[in-house]
Amino acid sequence: DHCVTGVQTCALPISVSIGNNHIRDFGPDGIAQTRAHLDAHGVAYTGDPTDAANRAAPLMVNGVPITLI
């Protein structure tokens, strides 16, 4: 909670990428918990390896697509 809460205090629109080399470290349950935690705090995310549409979706910041390579 403290990481998400800390990010929210900056009062900027927040989108994060969960597509990285550690997202599978705690298996499917870890991915599901990460998604649930971000959803519960209203943090948008992309890069979900279990969702083909989300996995390739750009981050949207103030309506501007940002693609991570």
Side-chain angles (χ1 to χ4, degrees):
D1 276 344
H2 66 280
C3 291
V4 173
T5 303
V7 168
Q8 288 175 320
T9 61
C10 69
L12 297 171
I14 300 298
S15 296
V16 298
S17 174
I18 61 172
N20 62 65
N21 61 322
H22 292 288
I23 190 62
R24 296 183 190 267
D25 286 358
F26 294 95
D29 289 340
I31 296 169
Q33 288 175 9
T34 297
R35 289 191 329 249
H37 191 71
L38 293 171
D39 287 340
H41 287 85
V43 176
Y45 57 90
T46 188
D48 181 350
T50 65
D51 180 338
N54 182 274
R55 180 174 46 234
L59 291 171
M60 298 300 289
V61 179
N62 291 333
V64 176
I66 304 206
T67 304
L68 302 173
I69 299 174

